[in-house]
Amino acid sequence: MYGGRAVTSNAYQWLHALHVGCVVLSLSGFAMRATMREFASPRLDARAWRILPHVIDTVLLASAVAMVWLAWWPLPAWILAKIVALVAYVGFGRIALSHSTRPRERRLALLAAVIAAAWIVSAALTKSACPPC
């Protein structure tokens, strides 16, 4: 039973494993792209670095929506907190990986994105809207 709703198949467990795998790939990819951006690596312009993050993040989001639909509706506070933190992570991540932003601003945005990502993971692990509280 998840979120008060009985899940009758292994669909939730499969989606959860897919979701966690995509989280690891997404965060690792973000860290690698941020490192390449910091050191102005020409490898960042490779086609795979422009396409693969979108594919991984789409699967990540789709698995999250499917898990919510299967087991967590109506949304508990900790999932709403994750959604808010996700919006912050995407916004700060965009700035951190931007070509036009100054290095100091990129580094501050990277720090903010890492904090938002840590909040998301903490909320997921603790099932609390305020994990550090």
Side-chain angles (χ1 to χ4, degrees):
M1 185 177 277
Y2 296 95
R5 211 188 282 184
V7 178
T8 58
S9 69
N10 289 330
Y12 184 88
Q13 289 82 9
W14 184 85
L15 286 167
H16 185 264
L18 177 66
H19 185 74
V20 170
C22 286
V23 167
V24 170
L25 290 174
S26 182
L27 293 177
S28 299
F30 177 73
M32 291 172 64
R33 288 190 324 250
T35 301
M36 285 190 279
R37 172 70 60 224
E38 183 66 25
F39 295 107
S41 173
R43 292 182 183 196
L44 189 57
D45 295 327
R47 182 177 171 99
W49 287 113
R50 291 192 315 266
I51 296 171
L52 201 54
H54 298 294
V55 172
I56 293 168
D57 292 343
T58 299
V59 174
L60 176 63
L61 185 59
S63 65
V65 169
M67 285 191 303
V68 164
W69 182 73
L70 279 175
W72 293 105
W73 196 261
L75 292 178
W78 66 274
I79 292 181
L80 292 172
K82 284 179 62 172
I83 293 169
V84 170
L86 176 65
V87 171
Y89 170 73
V90 169
F92 288 125
R94 182 171 168 82
I95 295 167
L97 297 176
S98 171
H99 287 285
S100 60
T101 311
R102 288 182 245 147
R104 183 174 187 274
E105 293 169 354
R106 279 200 317 263
R107 290 182 192 117
L108 288 172
L110 176 62
L111 176 63
V114 168
I115 291 169
W119 188 284
I120 294 167
V121 171
S122 296
L125 293 174
T126 63
K127 306 287 189 274
S128 170
C130 187
C133 300

